[in-house]
Amino acid sequence: MIELINGIAVSKDFDGKLFGRMNKKEDTVIQIGDKKIGDGEFAVIAGPCSVESKEQILDIAKFVADNGAEFLRGGAFKPRTSPYSFQGLEVEGLKYLHESKQKTGLPVVTELTSLKYIDEYMKYVDVIQVGARNMQNYDMLKELGKIDKPILLKRGIAATINEFLMSAEYILSGGNEKVILCERGIRTFSDYTRNTLDIGAIPLLKKITHLPVIVDPSHASGLWWLIEPLSLAAKAVGADGIIVEVHNQPENALSDGGQSIKFDVFKEMMNKLL
Ligand code: PEP
Ligand code: MN
Protein backbone atom coordinates (compact mmCIF):
# COMPACT_ATOMS: atom_id res chain seq x y z
CA MET A 1 0.00 0.00 0.00
CA ILE A 2 1.46 3.36 -1.06
CA GLU A 3 0.26 6.54 0.59
CA LEU A 4 1.02 10.08 -0.47
CA ILE A 5 2.01 12.19 2.52
CA ASN A 6 3.16 15.77 1.91
CA GLY A 7 3.84 14.91 -1.74
CA ILE A 8 6.06 11.95 -0.84
CA ALA A 9 5.12 8.34 -1.57
CA VAL A 10 5.29 6.41 1.67
CA SER A 11 5.22 2.62 1.98
CA LYS A 12 6.71 -0.11 4.16
CA ASP A 13 8.59 -1.24 1.03
CA PHE A 14 10.54 2.04 0.86
CA ASP A 15 11.30 2.23 4.56
CA GLY A 16 15.05 2.31 5.14
CA LYS A 17 15.82 2.19 1.41
CA LEU A 18 18.51 4.50 0.14
CA PHE A 19 16.50 5.36 -2.98
CA GLY A 20 13.50 6.45 -0.94
CA ARG A 21 12.32 10.02 -0.59
CA MET A 22 10.96 8.92 2.77
CA ASN A 23 14.55 8.97 3.99
CA LYS A 24 16.03 11.77 1.85
CA LYS A 25 13.58 14.47 0.80
CA GLU A 26 15.80 16.66 -1.39
CA ASP A 27 16.33 15.79 -5.05
CA THR A 28 19.67 14.18 -5.80
CA VAL A 29 21.59 16.34 -8.26
CA ILE A 30 24.28 14.53 -10.22
CA GLN A 31 27.28 16.64 -11.17
CA ILE A 32 29.04 15.54 -14.36
CA GLY A 33 31.95 17.85 -15.12
CA ASP A 34 30.36 21.30 -15.34
CA LYS A 35 26.91 19.84 -16.14
CA LYS A 36 24.14 18.61 -13.87
CA ILE A 37 21.24 16.15 -14.05
CA GLY A 38 18.36 16.52 -11.61
CA ASP A 39 18.79 20.22 -10.83
CA GLY A 40 15.41 21.23 -12.27
CA GLU A 41 16.74 21.91 -15.78
CA PHE A 42 15.71 19.53 -18.57
CA ALA A 43 18.87 17.67 -19.66
CA VAL A 44 19.23 16.28 -23.17
CA ILE A 45 21.56 13.37 -23.90
CA ALA A 46 21.74 12.86 -27.66
CA GLY A 47 23.67 10.83 -30.21
CA PRO A 48 23.52 7.72 -32.36
CA CYS A 49 22.48 4.28 -31.18
CA SER A 50 25.97 3.01 -32.10
CA VAL A 51 29.34 4.62 -32.69
CA GLU A 52 30.04 3.60 -36.30
CA SER A 53 33.19 5.57 -37.19
CA LYS A 54 35.23 8.48 -35.90
CA GLU A 55 33.73 10.81 -38.51
CA GLN A 56 30.16 9.73 -37.79
CA ILE A 57 30.31 10.26 -34.02
CA LEU A 58 32.18 13.54 -34.34
CA ASP A 59 29.74 14.91 -36.92
CA ILE A 60 26.73 14.01 -34.75
CA ALA A 61 28.41 15.25 -31.55
CA LYS A 62 29.08 18.65 -33.11
CA PHE A 63 25.54 19.00 -34.36
CA VAL A 64 23.82 18.05 -31.13
CA ALA A 65 26.23 20.22 -29.11
CA ASP A 66 25.42 23.22 -31.32
CA ASN A 67 21.72 22.60 -30.82
CA GLY A 68 21.41 22.40 -27.06
CA ALA A 69 22.35 18.83 -26.10
CA GLU A 70 24.42 18.66 -22.93
CA PHE A 71 25.64 15.07 -23.17
CA LEU A 72 26.67 12.70 -25.96
CA ARG A 73 25.33 9.15 -26.22
CA GLY A 74 26.59 6.36 -28.48
CA GLY A 75 27.01 2.63 -27.98
CA ALA A 76 30.47 1.13 -28.38
CA PHE A 77 29.53 -2.29 -27.02
CA LYS A 78 26.09 -3.20 -28.36
CA PRO A 79 23.75 -5.80 -26.89
CA ARG A 80 22.07 -7.06 -30.08
CA THR A 81 19.29 -9.61 -30.41
CA SER A 82 21.09 -11.34 -33.28
CA PRO A 83 24.74 -12.39 -33.03
CA TYR A 84 25.02 -11.54 -36.75
CA SER A 85 24.10 -7.86 -36.22
CA PHE A 86 26.72 -5.13 -35.76
CA GLN A 87 28.18 -5.59 -32.28
CA GLY A 88 29.89 -2.20 -31.93
CA LEU A 89 33.44 -0.85 -32.33
CA GLU A 90 34.19 -1.77 -28.72
CA VAL A 91 37.23 -0.04 -27.12
CA GLU A 92 37.96 1.84 -30.36
CA GLY A 93 34.42 3.26 -30.09
CA LEU A 94 35.08 4.42 -26.52
CA LYS A 95 38.14 6.29 -27.77
CA TYR A 96 36.14 8.00 -30.53
CA LEU A 97 33.53 9.05 -27.96
CA HIS A 98 36.27 10.47 -25.76
CA GLU A 99 37.76 12.35 -28.70
CA SER A 100 34.32 13.75 -29.52
CA LYS A 101 34.03 14.98 -25.94
CA GLN A 102 37.38 16.72 -26.22
CA LYS A 103 36.23 18.48 -29.40
CA THR A 104 32.70 19.44 -28.24
CA GLY A 105 32.79 19.51 -24.43
CA LEU A 106 29.91 17.01 -24.23
CA PRO A 107 30.38 14.41 -21.49
CA VAL A 108 29.95 10.84 -22.73
CA VAL A 109 27.17 8.41 -21.77
CA THR A 110 27.66 4.85 -23.03
CA GLU A 111 26.57 1.34 -22.17
CA LEU A 112 28.72 -1.17 -20.32
CA THR A 113 27.94 -4.75 -21.31
CA SER A 114 30.75 -6.52 -19.47
CA LEU A 115 32.79 -5.74 -16.37
CA LYS A 116 35.84 -6.95 -18.31
CA TYR A 117 36.20 -3.43 -19.71
CA ILE A 118 35.59 -1.41 -16.56
CA ASP A 119 39.11 0.13 -16.60
CA GLU A 120 38.55 1.50 -20.12
CA TYR A 121 35.17 2.91 -19.05
CA MET A 122 36.76 4.60 -16.03
CA LYS A 123 39.19 6.26 -18.43
CA TYR A 124 37.04 7.26 -21.39
CA VAL A 125 33.45 7.56 -20.13
CA ASP A 126 31.61 10.09 -17.94
CA VAL A 127 28.34 8.23 -17.27
CA ILE A 128 28.10 4.43 -17.42
CA GLN A 129 24.81 3.18 -18.86
CA VAL A 130 23.41 -0.10 -17.62
CA GLY A 131 21.11 -1.34 -20.38
CA ALA A 132 17.64 -2.78 -19.98
CA ARG A 133 19.04 -6.28 -20.48
CA ASN A 134 21.49 -5.86 -17.61
CA MET A 135 19.19 -4.15 -15.11
CA GLN A 136 19.13 -7.34 -13.08
CA ASN A 137 22.78 -8.28 -13.57
CA TYR A 138 23.39 -8.08 -9.85
CA ASP A 139 27.12 -8.82 -10.05
CA MET A 140 27.49 -5.87 -12.39
CA LEU A 141 25.36 -3.63 -10.16
CA LYS A 142 27.42 -4.55 -7.09
CA GLU A 143 30.67 -3.67 -8.87
CA LEU A 144 29.22 -0.37 -10.12
CA GLY A 145 28.29 0.38 -6.52
CA LYS A 146 31.97 0.48 -5.66
CA ILE A 147 33.11 3.01 -8.25
CA ASP A 148 33.04 6.78 -8.35
CA LYS A 149 31.19 7.36 -11.63
CA PRO A 150 27.55 8.26 -12.36
CA ILE A 151 25.39 5.34 -13.50
CA LEU A 152 22.44 5.64 -15.87
CA LEU A 153 20.25 2.67 -14.99
CA LYS A 154 17.67 1.67 -17.58
CA ARG A 155 14.46 -0.06 -16.63
CA GLY A 156 14.37 -3.72 -17.68
CA ILE A 157 12.17 -4.78 -20.57
CA ALA A 158 9.64 -6.37 -18.21
CA ALA A 159 10.73 -4.92 -14.87
CA THR A 160 8.26 -3.74 -12.28
CA ILE A 161 8.84 -0.41 -10.55
CA ASN A 162 9.89 -2.27 -7.43
CA GLU A 163 12.44 -4.39 -9.31
CA PHE A 164 13.78 -1.25 -10.98
CA LEU A 165 14.18 0.56 -7.67
CA MET A 166 15.80 -2.45 -6.01
CA SER A 167 18.36 -2.58 -8.80
CA ALA A 168 19.17 1.06 -8.06
CA GLU A 169 19.45 0.06 -4.39
CA TYR A 170 22.20 -2.45 -5.29
CA ILE A 171 24.32 0.41 -6.65
CA LEU A 172 23.46 2.85 -3.86
CA SER A 173 24.11 0.33 -1.10
CA GLY A 174 27.60 -0.29 -2.48
CA GLY A 175 28.38 3.38 -1.82
CA ASN A 176 27.80 4.93 -5.24
CA GLU A 177 25.11 7.57 -4.77
CA LYS A 178 25.17 8.81 -8.36
CA VAL A 179 22.32 6.92 -9.97
CA ILE A 180 20.06 8.24 -12.75
CA LEU A 181 16.94 6.20 -13.53
CA CYS A 182 15.74 5.84 -17.12
CA GLU A 183 12.27 4.77 -18.25
CA ARG A 184 12.79 3.32 -21.75
CA GLY A 185 9.51 1.58 -22.39
CA ILE A 186 8.31 -1.81 -21.27
CA ARG A 187 7.07 -4.76 -23.29
CA THR A 188 3.29 -4.94 -23.48
CA PHE A 189 0.66 -6.28 -25.90
CA SER A 190 0.60 -2.94 -27.73
CA ASP A 191 1.71 -3.81 -31.25
CA TYR A 192 2.47 -0.63 -33.18
CA THR A 193 5.39 0.55 -31.08
CA ARG A 194 8.61 -1.26 -30.11
CA ASN A 195 7.74 -0.89 -26.42
CA THR A 196 5.18 1.05 -24.38
CA LEU A 197 6.40 4.22 -22.68
CA ASP A 198 5.19 3.98 -19.09
CA ILE A 199 4.61 7.70 -18.79
CA GLY A 200 2.94 7.37 -15.39
CA ALA A 201 6.14 5.84 -14.04
CA ILE A 202 7.87 9.22 -14.17
CA PRO A 203 5.72 11.20 -11.70
CA LEU A 204 5.35 8.02 -9.64
CA LEU A 205 9.11 7.50 -9.39
CA LYS A 206 9.65 11.19 -8.62
CA LYS A 207 7.36 10.80 -5.60
CA ILE A 208 9.03 7.61 -4.41
CA THR A 209 12.67 8.46 -5.02
CA HIS A 210 14.98 11.47 -4.85
CA LEU A 211 17.03 10.11 -7.78
CA PRO A 212 16.80 11.89 -11.17
CA VAL A 213 14.47 10.22 -13.68
CA ILE A 214 14.92 10.55 -17.43
CA VAL A 215 13.07 9.12 -20.45
CA ASP A 216 14.33 7.30 -23.55
CA PRO A 217 11.67 7.99 -26.20
CA SER A 218 13.70 6.16 -28.88
CA HIS A 219 13.65 2.62 -27.46
CA ALA A 220 10.20 3.26 -25.98
CA SER A 221 8.65 3.84 -29.41
CA GLY A 222 10.92 2.49 -32.14
CA LEU A 223 9.52 5.17 -34.49
CA TRP A 224 11.40 8.39 -35.26
CA TRP A 225 8.19 10.40 -35.69
CA LEU A 226 7.03 9.61 -32.18
CA ILE A 227 10.19 11.01 -30.57
CA GLU A 228 9.06 14.64 -30.39
CA PRO A 229 5.62 14.04 -28.84
CA LEU A 230 7.02 11.54 -26.33
CA SER A 231 9.85 13.92 -25.39
CA LEU A 232 7.39 16.75 -24.84
CA ALA A 233 5.25 14.37 -22.76
CA ALA A 234 8.30 13.39 -20.69
CA LYS A 235 8.95 17.03 -19.91
CA ALA A 236 5.28 17.67 -19.11
CA VAL A 237 5.19 14.91 -16.48
CA GLY A 238 8.35 16.13 -14.74
CA ALA A 239 11.19 14.06 -16.18
CA ASP A 240 14.68 15.43 -15.56
CA GLY A 241 15.63 14.91 -19.19
CA ILE A 242 15.76 12.55 -22.14
CA ILE A 243 18.27 10.28 -23.84
CA VAL A 244 17.52 10.32 -27.55
CA GLU A 245 18.94 8.70 -30.69
CA VAL A 246 20.04 11.14 -33.40
CA HIS A 247 21.80 10.11 -36.62
CA ASN A 248 23.32 12.00 -39.56
CA GLN A 249 22.04 9.30 -41.97
CA PRO A 250 19.37 7.19 -40.26
CA GLU A 251 18.71 5.24 -43.46
CA ASN A 252 22.28 3.88 -43.33
CA ALA A 253 22.56 3.43 -39.56
CA LEU A 254 24.10 0.16 -38.38
CA SER A 255 21.51 -0.06 -35.58
CA ASP A 256 18.14 1.49 -34.75
CA GLY A 257 17.94 3.72 -37.84
CA GLY A 258 14.13 3.64 -37.87
CA GLN A 259 13.89 5.25 -34.47
CA SER A 260 16.73 7.74 -34.96
CA ILE A 261 15.85 11.34 -35.73
CA LYS A 262 17.62 13.37 -38.38
CA PHE A 263 19.39 16.64 -37.64
CA ASP A 264 16.54 18.92 -38.77
CA VAL A 265 14.00 16.97 -36.67
CA PHE A 266 16.30 17.20 -33.63
CA LYS A 267 16.73 20.92 -34.10
CA GLU A 268 13.01 21.53 -34.37
CA MET A 269 12.29 19.36 -31.33
CA MET A 270 14.91 21.18 -29.25
CA ASN A 271 13.27 24.51 -30.09
CA LYS A 272 10.04 23.19 -28.58
CA LEU A 273 11.67 21.44 -25.61
CA LEU A 274 14.12 23.96 -24.21
C1 PEP B 1 20.59 1.73 -26.17
O1 PEP B 1 20.50 2.74 -25.44
O2 PEP B 1 21.10 1.76 -27.31
C2 PEP B 1 19.97 0.46 -25.70
C3 PEP B 1 20.36 -0.72 -26.19
O3 PEP B 1 18.99 0.66 -24.80
P1 PEP B 1 18.13 -0.37 -23.92
O4 PEP B 1 19.09 -1.03 -22.99
O5 PEP B 1 17.15 0.52 -23.25
O6 PEP B 1 17.49 -1.34 -24.87
MN1 MN C 1 19.49 1.83 -29.79
Coordinates of all heavy atoms in Angstrom, one line a residue, residues 62-111:
K62 N 29.0 17.2 -32.8 CA 29.1 18.7 -33.1 C 27.7 19.2 -33.3 O 27.3 20.3 -32.8 CB 29.9 18.9 -34.4 CG 31.4 18.9 -34.1 CD 32.2 19.3 -35.3 CE 33.7 19.1 -35.1 NZ 34.4 18.7 -36.3
F63 N 26.9 18.5 -34.1 CA 25.5 19.0 -34.4 C 24.7 19.1 -33.1 O 24.1 20.1 -32.8 CB 24.8 18.2 -35.4 CG 23.5 18.8 -35.8 CD1 23.4 19.8 -36.7 CD2 22.3 18.4 -35.1 CE1 22.2 20.4 -37.0 CE2 21.1 19.0 -35.4 CZ 21.1 20.0 -36.4
V64 N 24.7 18.0 -32.3 CA 23.8 18.0 -31.1 C 24.3 19.1 -30.1 O 23.5 19.7 -29.4 CB 23.6 16.6 -30.5 CG1 22.9 15.7 -31.5 CG2 24.8 16.0 -30.0
A65 N 25.7 19.2 -30.0 CA 26.2 20.2 -29.1 C 25.8 21.6 -29.5 O 25.4 22.5 -28.7 CB 27.8 20.1 -29.1
D66 N 25.8 21.9 -30.8 CA 25.4 23.2 -31.3 C 23.9 23.5 -31.2 O 23.5 24.6 -31.3 CB 25.8 23.4 -32.8 CG 27.3 23.5 -33.0 OD1 28.0 23.8 -32.0 OD2 27.7 23.3 -34.2
N67 N 23.2 22.4 -30.9 CA 21.7 22.6 -30.8 C 21.1 22.2 -29.5 O 20.0 21.8 -29.4 CB 21.0 21.8 -31.9 CG 21.3 22.5 -33.3 OD1 20.6 23.4 -33.6 ND2 22.3 22.0 -34.0
G68 N 21.9 22.4 -28.4 CA 21.4 22.4 -27.1 C 21.6 21.1 -26.3 O 21.2 21.1 -25.1
A69 N 22.1 20.1 -26.9 CA 22.4 18.8 -26.1 C 23.5 19.1 -25.1 O 24.4 19.9 -25.4 CB 22.7 17.7 -27.0
E70 N 23.4 18.5 -24.0 CA 24.4 18.7 -22.9 C 25.3 17.5 -22.8 O 26.4 17.5 -22.1 CB 23.8 19.0 -21.6 CG 23.2 20.4 -21.5 CD 22.9 20.7 -20.1 OE1 21.8 20.1 -19.6 OE2 23.6 21.4 -19.4
F71 N 24.9 16.3 -23.3 CA 25.6 15.1 -23.2 C 25.6 14.3 -24.5 O 24.6 14.4 -25.2 CB 25.1 14.2 -22.1 CG 25.0 14.8 -20.7 CD1 23.9 15.6 -20.3 CD2 26.1 14.7 -19.8 CE1 23.9 16.2 -19.1 CE2 26.0 15.3 -18.6 CZ 24.9 16.1 -18.2
L72 N 26.6 13.5 -24.7 CA 26.7 12.7 -26.0 C 26.4 11.2 -25.6 O 27.1 10.7 -24.7 CB 28.1 12.8 -26.6 CG 28.3 12.0 -27.8 CD1 27.4 12.4 -29.0 CD2 29.8 12.1 -28.2
R73 N 25.5 10.6 -26.3 CA 25.3 9.2 -26.2 C 25.9 8.5 -27.4 O 26.1 9.1 -28.5 CB 23.9 8.7 -26.0 CG 22.9 9.0 -27.2 CD 21.8 7.9 -27.3 NE 22.3 6.6 -27.7 CZ 21.9 5.4 -27.3 NH1 20.9 5.3 -26.5 NH2 22.4 4.3 -27.7
G74 N 26.1 7.1 -27.4 CA 26.6 6.4 -28.5 C 27.1 5.0 -27.9 O 27.9 5.0 -27.0
G75 N 26.6 3.9 -28.5 CA 27.0 2.6 -28.0 C 28.3 2.2 -28.7 O 28.4 2.2 -29.9
A76 N 29.2 1.7 -27.9 CA 30.5 1.1 -28.4 C 30.4 -0.4 -28.3 O 30.9 -1.1 -29.1 CB 31.7 1.7 -27.6
F77 N 29.8 -0.9 -27.2 CA 29.5 -2.3 -27.0 C 28.0 -2.4 -27.1 O 27.3 -1.9 -26.3 CB 30.0 -2.8 -25.6 CG 31.5 -2.8 -25.5 CD1 32.2 -1.7 -25.2 CD2 32.2 -4.0 -25.7 CE1 33.6 -1.7 -25.1 CE2 33.6 -4.0 -25.5 CZ 34.3 -2.9 -25.2
K78 N 27.5 -3.1 -28.1 CA 26.1 -3.2 -28.4 C 25.5 -4.5 -28.0 O 25.9 -5.6 -28.5 CB 25.8 -2.9 -29.8 CG 26.2 -1.6 -30.3 CD 25.5 -0.4 -29.6 CE 24.0 -0.5 -29.6 NZ 23.3 0.5 -28.8
P79 N 24.5 -4.5 -27.2 CA 23.8 -5.8 -26.9 C 22.7 -6.0 -28.0 O 21.7 -5.3 -28.0 CB 23.1 -5.5 -25.5 CG 22.9 -4.0 -25.5 CD 23.9 -3.4 -26.5
R80 N 23.0 -6.9 -28.9 CA 22.1 -7.1 -30.1 C 21.3 -8.4 -30.0 O 21.9 -9.4 -29.5 CB 22.9 -7.0 -31.4 CG 23.7 -5.8 -31.6 CD 22.9 -4.5 -31.6 NE 21.8 -4.4 -32.6 CZ 22.0 -4.1 -33.8 NH1 23.2 -3.8 -34.3 NH2 20.9 -4.0 -34.6
T81 N 20.1 -8.4 -30.5 CA 19.3 -9.6 -30.4 C 19.9 -10.7 -31.2 O 20.0 -11.9 -30.8 CB 17.9 -9.3 -30.9 OG1 17.3 -8.3 -30.1 CG2 17.0 -10.5 -30.9
S82 N 20.5 -10.3 -32.4 CA 21.1 -11.3 -33.3 C 22.6 -11.3 -33.2 O 23.2 -10.2 -33.2 CB 20.7 -11.1 -34.7 OG 21.5 -11.8 -35.6
P83 N 23.3 -12.4 -33.1 CA 24.7 -12.4 -33.0 C 25.3 -12.0 -34.4 O 26.5 -11.7 -34.5 CB 25.1 -13.8 -32.7 CG 23.9 -14.7 -33.1 CD 22.7 -13.8 -32.9
Y84 N 24.5 -11.9 -35.4 CA 25.0 -11.5 -36.7 C 24.9 -10.0 -37.0 O 25.4 -9.5 -38.0 CB 24.3 -12.3 -37.8 CG 24.3 -13.8 -37.6 CD1 23.1 -14.5 -37.4 CD2 25.5 -14.5 -37.5 CE1 23.1 -15.9 -37.1 CE2 25.5 -15.9 -37.3 CZ 24.3 -16.5 -37.0 OH 24.3 -17.9 -36.8
S85 N 24.2 -9.3 -36.1 CA 24.1 -7.9 -36.2 C 25.4 -7.2 -35.7 O 26.1 -7.8 -34.9 CB 22.9 -7.3 -35.4 OG 21.7 -7.9 -35.8
F86 N 25.6 -5.9 -36.2 CA 26.7 -5.1 -35.8 C 26.8 -5.1 -34.2 O 25.9 -4.7 -33.5 CB 26.5 -3.7 -36.3 CG 27.6 -2.7 -35.9 CD1 28.9 -2.9 -36.2 CD2 27.2 -1.6 -35.2 CE1 29.9 -2.0 -35.9 CE2 28.2 -0.6 -34.9 CZ 29.5 -0.9 -35.2
Q87 N 28.0 -5.4 -33.7 CA 28.2 -5.6 -32.3 C 28.9 -4.4 -31.6 O 29.1 -4.4 -30.4 CB 29.0 -6.9 -32.0 CG 28.4 -8.1 -32.5 CD 27.1 -8.6 -31.7 OE1 27.2 -8.7 -30.5 NE2 26.0 -8.9 -32.4
G88 N 29.2 -3.4 -32.5 CA 29.9 -2.2 -31.9 C 31.4 -2.2 -32.2 O 32.0 -3.2 -32.5
L89 N 32.0 -1.0 -32.1 CA 33.4 -0.8 -32.3 C 34.3 -1.1 -31.1 O 35.5 -1.0 -31.1 CB 33.8 0.6 -32.8 CG 33.1 1.0 -34.2 CD1 33.6 2.4 -34.5 CD2 33.5 0.0 -35.3
E90 N 33.6 -1.4 -30.0 CA 34.2 -1.8 -28.7 C 35.2 -0.7 -28.2 O 34.8 0.5 -28.3 CB 34.8 -3.2 -28.8 CG 33.7 -4.2 -29.3 CD 34.1 -5.6 -29.2 OE1 35.3 -5.9 -29.1 OE2 33.2 -6.4 -29.1
V91 N 36.4 -1.0 -27.8 CA 37.2 0.0 -27.1 C 37.6 1.1 -28.1 O 37.6 2.3 -27.7 CB 38.5 -0.7 -26.6 CG1 39.5 0.4 -26.0 CG2 38.1 -1.7 -25.5
E92 N 37.7 0.8 -29.4 CA 38.0 1.8 -30.4 C 36.8 2.9 -30.3 O 37.0 4.1 -30.4 CB 38.0 1.2 -31.7 CG 38.6 1.9 -32.8 CD 38.4 1.2 -34.2 OE1 38.1 0.0 -34.2 OE2 38.6 1.9 -35.2
G93 N 35.6 2.4 -30.2 CA 34.4 3.3 -30.1 C 34.5 4.2 -28.9 O 34.1 5.3 -28.9
L94 N 34.9 3.6 -27.7 CA 35.1 4.4 -26.5 C 36.1 5.6 -26.8 O 35.8 6.7 -26.3 CB 35.6 3.6 -25.3 CG 34.7 2.4 -24.8 CD1 35.3 1.7 -23.7 CD2 33.3 2.9 -24.5
K95 N 37.1 5.2 -27.5 CA 38.1 6.3 -27.8 C 37.6 7.4 -28.7 O 37.8 8.6 -28.5 CB 39.4 5.7 -28.4 CG 40.2 4.8 -27.4 CD 41.4 4.2 -28.1 CE 42.1 3.3 -27.1 NZ 43.1 2.4 -27.7
Y96 N 36.8 7.0 -29.6 CA 36.1 8.0 -30.5 C 35.2 8.9 -29.7 O 35.1 10.1 -30.0 CB 35.4 7.3 -31.7 CG 36.3 6.6 -32.7 CD1 35.7 5.6 -33.5 CD2 37.6 6.8 -32.7 CE1 36.5 4.9 -34.4 CE2 38.4 6.1 -33.6 CZ 37.9 5.1 -34.4 OH 38.6 4.4 -35.3
L97 N 34.5 8.3 -28.8 CA 33.5 9.0 -28.0 C 34.3 10.1 -27.1 O 33.9 11.2 -27.0 CB 32.8 8.1 -27.0 CG 31.6 7.3 -27.6 CD1 31.2 6.2 -26.7 CD2 30.4 8.2 -27.9
H98 N 35.4 9.6 -26.6 CA 36.3 10.5 -25.8 C 36.8 11.6 -26.6 O 36.9 12.8 -26.1 CB 37.4 9.6 -25.1 CG 38.2 10.4 -24.1 ND1 37.7 10.9 -23.0 CD2 39.5 10.7 -24.1 CE1 38.6 11.5 -22.3 NE2 39.7 11.4 -23.0
E99 N 37.3 11.3 -27.8 CA 37.8 12.4 -28.7 C 36.7 13.4 -29.0 O 36.9 14.6 -29.1 CB 38.2 11.7 -30.0 CG 39.7 11.7 -30.2 CD 40.1 11.2 -31.6 OE1 40.2 12.0 -32.5 OE2 40.3 10.0 -31.6
S100 N 35.4 12.9 -29.2 CA 34.3 13.8 -29.5 C 34.0 14.7 -28.3 O 33.7 15.8 -28.5 CB 33.1 12.9 -29.9 OG 33.3 12.1 -30.9
K101 N 34.2 14.1 -27.1 CA 34.0 15.0 -25.9 C 35.1 16.1 -25.9 O 34.8 17.2 -25.6 CB 34.2 14.1 -24.7 CG 34.1 14.9 -23.4 CD 34.6 14.1 -22.2 CE 34.7 15.0 -21.0 NZ 35.2 14.3 -19.8
Q102 N 36.3 15.7 -26.2 CA 37.4 16.7 -26.2 C 37.1 17.8 -27.2 O 37.5 19.0 -27.0 CB 38.7 16.1 -26.5 CG 39.2 15.3 -25.2 CD 40.4 14.4 -25.5 OE1 40.6 13.9 -26.6 NE2 41.2 14.2 -24.5
K103 N 36.5 17.5 -28.4 CA 36.2 18.5 -29.4 C 35.0 19.3 -29.1 O 34.9 20.4 -29.6 CB 36.1 17.8 -30.8 CG 37.3 17.0 -31.2 CD 37.8 17.4 -32.6 CE 39.3 17.1 -32.8 NZ 39.5 15.7 -33.1
T104 N 34.0 18.7 -28.4 CA 32.7 19.4 -28.2 C 32.4 19.8 -26.8 O 31.5 20.6 -26.6 CB 31.5 18.5 -28.7 OG1 31.5 17.3 -27.9 CG2 31.6 18.1 -30.1
G105 N 33.1 19.2 -25.8 CA 32.8 19.5 -24.4 C 31.6 18.7 -23.9 O 31.3 18.8 -22.7
L106 N 31.0 17.8 -24.7 CA 29.9 17.0 -24.2 C 30.4 15.8 -23.5 O 31.1 14.9 -24.1 CB 29.0 16.5 -25.4 CG 28.3 17.5 -26.3 CD1 27.4 16.8 -27.3 CD2 27.5 18.5 -25.4
P107 N 30.0 15.6 -22.2 CA 30.4 14.4 -21.5 C 29.7 13.2 -22.2 O 28.7 13.3 -22.8 CB 29.8 14.6 -20.1 CG 29.6 16.1 -20.0 CD 29.3 16.6 -21.3
V108 N 30.4 12.1 -22.0 CA 30.0 10.8 -22.7 C 29.2 9.9 -21.9 O 29.5 9.6 -20.7 CB 31.2 10.1 -23.2 CG1 30.9 8.7 -23.7 CG2 31.9 10.9 -24.4
V109 N 28.0 9.4 -22.4 CA 27.2 8.4 -21.8 C 27.2 7.2 -22.7 O 26.8 7.3 -23.8 CB 25.7 8.9 -21.7 CG1 24.8 7.9 -21.0 CG2 25.6 10.3 -21.0
T110 N 27.6 6.0 -22.2 CA 27.7 4.9 -23.0 C 27.5 3.6 -22.2 O 27.9 3.5 -21.0 CB 28.9 4.8 -23.9 OG1 28.8 3.8 -24.9 CG2 30.2 4.6 -23.1
E111 N 26.9 2.6 -22.9 CA 26.6 1.3 -22.2 C 27.7 0.4 -21.9 O 28.6 0.2 -22.8 CB 25.5 0.6 -23.0 CG 25.0 -0.7 -22.3 CD 23.8 -1.3 -23.0 OE1 23.2 -0.7 -23.9 OE2 23.5 -2.5 -22.6

